[in-house]
Amino acid sequence: METDIDLYNFSDELVEKNCLCCAICKDILRPPVMLIENVGNICTPCFDEKHEDMNWRYLNNYALENILKMVKFPCKFKSKGCNDRFSYEELTFHQTNCEYRTKLCSMFKFTACEWEGNTTDFIDHFKEYHGDHVIIFEKNLFYLETSLSEVSLVKLLVMKPHTFILRMQINLSRKKLFYIICSVKDDYSSFCEYSVKHKGASENYIKTKSKILSSYHIHNEFDENIAVEVDLEALRQVSQISDTITNIFKIKMEESQAEVIDEKMLHFFECPVCKNFMKPPIYQCQSGHSVCNLCRPRLEKCPTCRAIFGNTRNYSLEGLTTGIRYPCIFHDSGCMEISSVSDILKHESECPFKPYNCPFKDCSSTGNHEVILDHLLSFHFNSVIYGDMAGYTESFRLDQNSYSNKIFERKCVIAFNHIFRLTCKRFAEHCLMAAEICGCKSGEKTFVYEVAIIDMSRPEKKLIRTDYCLNEMPDDELFKRCIMFPNTVLTSYSNHGMVTFHFMIKQK
């Protein structure tokens, strides 16, 4: 009995002797096959191109077509290491994308790089010679700032064990942004799709979704027809972009069966206003349409049927929430947490992917916890203190001429993996000190701040006040709830006109 190996050896011999190849282009024949008198078997493209000029006598070679349908052909890059075999229908596509195919560097247009080689070597080459275009990220999320003056770009995206290529192009004449993501090794079976948030100066954004493409599109001309399209004019209006676009990419991993079921159920819990998933309490209009508890106070009429809203609860829908696992509300920012409704609410209050504003109010930077920490150390280094244990000590001059009823100091304290903002304000009669925990709504009554006024001439003499750290709030409200030191008391602790205080964050 013949084995597959025998058949493979036989088909290889037929290919080597050109028995299954076009007599003109020498490529593997593809049905329909034309047998030309005094020429031989040729493929349809060659026949269509030359038949009218040559006036051939021909007939269809059905016998050879049947043989072609049975043969598994070797890849033409076999000598370079590819051992895969394909039918004639699959062969052309494979050879176009074969990882052993000799490929040009995708940075050629930008750097005139003349490298060429196979897929594995391409990744090593890109990392070594174009390292400033490599983005290494975890948890399937990465940020990319795009300038409108940068017409096109290429980035290697490394998310072990997978590697992708991002190609982005801006067409200013059409006022469009185009992009694609391709799998370098075509190992994207677990990463079928991805989403992108496109943002500007405002909190609003435009979101796009697409699928990861094959490596074919890495080394060929950029095709706007298959790329994702973003309207720059719409983005300018929605997100207030100027010269820079913030793109937040999230690659979606393959879902388990349980996650698929949860996602199908969650579809019925989507709020028609904010598009987030409704959690108890859930309110309904007179016609039975439901909205979430965050949107309800802003609505007078139902957005679906325009019926009047009362305070009617949808208890049936609320009851069903106990059997559903909710994704974190910050899943588009990279959080992978999925949990019950009670547990997810607690998680969301302290989620590390929760968006933060920079604690310094004259700065407009935003990002998740890690991004803001990096931003603080890069741009506000002199005003950042790490205070996990000892806290920090500072002094100020108790001089009535300096009283201006203005905030005289803001500091940012990093403690217990949280960000705290310390604000001091002086009046003619007293000095106020407040501490806010940034970004985390569960921080109140979890952390306290301690301020100790120290007489430096007699360090054992201290005035200590302690209060709960507050959630972020407007200054007017903040200074109604903070620690107050009368200046008459501070005077008794001053040393040569200087008042020294020690500040510390403590966890209860």
Side-chain angles (χ1 to χ4, degrees):
M1 180 181 291
E2 283 188 312
T3 64
D4 286 342
I5 295 177
D6 293 329
L7 290 173
Y8 291 162
N9 290 336
F10 176 66
S11 62
D12 289 353
E13 186 176 346
L14 292 176
V15 172
E16 289 171 5
K17 292 181 178 180
N18 293 325
C19 297
L20 301 179
C21 298
C22 174
I24 296 178
C25 69
K26 306 304 180 184
D27 205 352
I28 298 294
L29 288 163
R30 296 171 59 85
V33 177
M34 303 300 178
L35 178 58
I36 310 299
E37 186 177 29
N38 299 322
V39 176
N41 295 296
I42 69 171
C43 62
T44 301
C46 290
F47 177 81
D48 292 340
E49 180 183 354
K50 298 181 179 294
H51 172 60
E52 290 186 4
D53 296 333
M54 303 300 294
N55 197 24
W56 281 324
R57 295 179 64 187
Y58 66 93
L59 54 83
N60 286 87
N61 194 338
Y62 295 114
L64 189 57
E65 288 179 9
N66 290 331
I67 293 174
L68 286 168
K69 292 176 181 179
M70 299 172 59
V71 172
K72 292 288 187 180
F73 293 96
C75 173
K76 67 180 180 182
F77 302 112
K78 179 181 177 181
S79 61
K80 295 184 178 180
C82 183
N83 295 315
D84 294 329
R85 289 177 173 270
F86 301 90
S87 67
Y88 72 88
E89 296 172 319
E90 303 166 324
L91 187 62
T92 300
F93 177 80
H94 164 77
Q95 290 178 160
T96 304
N97 298 279
C98 179
E99 64 177 298
Y100 295 94
R101 167 185 175 229
T102 299
K103 302 175 181 180
L104 297 176
C105 178
S106 54
M107 292 297 293
F108 172 77
K109 290 184 178 181
F110 306 95
T111 63
C113 180
E114 297 181 351
W115 177 92
E116 61 178 281
N118 62 38
T119 297
T120 303
D121 294 337
F122 164 71
I123 296 174
D124 294 336
H125 161 79
F126 201 107
K127 290 179 179 178
E128 182 175 356
Y129 292 95
H130 310 294
D132 53 338
H133 293 275
V134 176
I135 299 176
I136 299 175
F137 59 104
E138 298 179 354
K139 296 183 179 179
N140 62 319
L141 183 81
F142 67 96
Y143 291 72
L144 180 65
E145 299 285 340
T146 306
S147 171
L148 293 180
S149 61
E150 193 169 15
V151 177
S152 58
L153 60 83
V154 173
K155 299 290 183 182
L156 186 75
L157 313 176
V158 179
M159 185 177 72
K160 293 181 179 180
H162 305 278
T163 310
F164 308 97
I165 283 282
L166 166 68
R167 296 182 68 181
M168 185 174 285
Q169 189 163 294
I170 294 176
N171 189 325
L172 292 178
S173 63
R174 295 178 59 188
K175 298 181 180 179
K176 304 286 186 182
L177 179 147
F178 299 93
Y179 68 89
I180 58 173
I181 292 182
C182 309
S183 174
V184 175
K185 293 185 177 180
D186 290 337
D187 54 350
Y188 52 88
S189 58
S190 297
F191 302 90
C192 45
E193 62 181 38
Y194 60 93
S195 62
V196 188
K197 284 183 178 179
H198 309 276
K199 298 180 62 178
S202 75
E203 288 299 310
N204 300 322
Y205 58 85
I206 287 179
K207 184 176 180 180
T208 55
K209 293 183 179 181
S210 190
K211 293 184 179 294
I212 293 174
L213 303 178
S214 76
S215 60
Y216 169 82
H217 301 284
I218 294 176
H219 306 278
N220 294 284
E221 287 295 319
F222 189 91
D223 186 356
E224 292 184 356
N225 293 318
I226 57 94
V228 182
E229 177 182 308
V230 182
D231 188 297
L232 293 179
E233 282 300 306
L235 187 59
R236 193 181 302 276
Q237 295 175 17
V238 172
S239 301
Q240 299 178 17
I241 63 166
S242 52
D243 298 323
T244 303
I245 304 170
T246 300
N247 305 283
I248 307 173
F249 290 79
K250 180 184 179 183
I251 297 179
K252 187 176 182 181
M253 299 181 68
E254 187 178 42
E255 299 171 317
S256 67
Q257 186 63 29
E259 289 171 336
V260 171
I261 294 172
D262 282 335
E263 185 170 340
K264 289 181 178 179
M265 287 291 293
L266 283 168
H267 170 73
F268 299 102
F269 290 84
E270 185 178 273
C271 175
V273 180
C274 66
K275 304 302 181 184
N276 289 321
F277 298 123
M278 295 181 286
K279 308 179 185 75
I282 300 173
Y283 293 91
Q284 63 181 9
C285 73
Q286 294 176 353
S287 300
H289 300 117
S290 298
V291 295
C292 72
N293 63 314
L294 297 178
C295 292
R296 168 62 192 90
R298 306 198 300 264
L299 300 172
E300 293 184 4
K301 294 183 179 181
C302 174
T304 303
C305 68
R306 311 306 296 170
I308 300 297
F309 264 115
N311 291 314
T312 305
R313 297 267 294 273
N314 190 334
Y315 290 106
S316 297
L317 202 58
E318 288 182 14
L320 292 174
T321 63
T322 58
I324 296 176
R325 298 193 311 152
Y326 283 81
C328 174
I329 195 172
F330 307 113
H331 64 277
D332 283 336
S333 297
C335 183
M336 306 299 291
E337 184 72 18
I338 299 175
S339 190
S340 65
V341 63
S342 57
D343 291 340
I344 205 66
L345 288 170
K346 180 179 183 301
H347 162 81
E348 288 171 353
S349 68
E350 51 195 26
C351 176
F353 291 91
K354 181 176 184 175
Y356 285 71
N357 295 317
C358 177
F360 296 97
K361 295 192 175 183
D362 57 348
C363 180
S364 60
S365 294
T366 61
N368 61 31
H369 185 268
E370 183 177 349
V371 170
I372 288 298
L373 283 181
D374 290 342
H375 165 78
L376 290 171
L377 295 176
S378 299
F379 296 96
H380 305 286
F381 179 78
N382 293 330
S383 299
V384 176
I385 295 106
Y386 277 87
D388 270 0
M389 297 299 294
Y392 78 100
T393 301
E394 281 200 4
S395 301
F396 61 88
R397 180 168 295 281
L398 191 64
D399 183 355
Q400 291 193 9
N401 294 328
S402 66
Y403 298 156
S404 59
N405 293 350
K406 293 182 179 180
I407 294 169
F408 75 89
E409 183 178 54
R410 285 197 196 275
K411 292 282 187 182
C412 182
V413 178
I414 312 298
F416 305 103
N417 201 34
H418 286 75
I419 302 171
F420 300 85
R421 178 172 60 211
L422 170 64
T423 305
C424 299
K425 187 173 183 178
R426 296 181 59 193
F427 292 86
E429 298 83 15
H430 50 261
C431 178
L432 304 176
M433 292 190 179
E436 302 162 88
I437 181 169
C438 300
C440 179
K441 295 301 182 185
S442 67
E444 194 167 1
K445 298 189 178 180
T446 301
F447 297 96
V448 296
Y449 66 108
E450 178 184 282
V451 183
I453 307 298
I454 306 170
D455 184 346
M456 295 306 291
S457 62
R458 294 178 295 169
E460 67 278 3
K461 181 183 176 182
K462 298 178 181 179
L463 173 63
I464 300 174
R465 294 286 305 275
T466 303
D467 205 343
Y468 290 113
C469 292
L470 301 168
N471 293 323
E472 292 178 274
M473 61 184 65
D475 288 342
D476 290 344
E477 183 180 351
L478 178 69
F479 290 123
K480 294 176 182 177
R481 302 175 59 183
C482 65
I483 292 175
M484 182 185 73
F485 293 101
N487 286 337
T488 53
V489 175
L490 294 178
T491 300
S492 65
Y493 286 84
S494 65
N495 185 31
H496 301 293
M498 298 296 293
V499 174
T500 301
F501 68 89
H502 182 80
F503 177 86
M504 181 183 295
I505 297 288
K506 295 182 177 181
Q507 188 170 23
K508 291 192 66 180

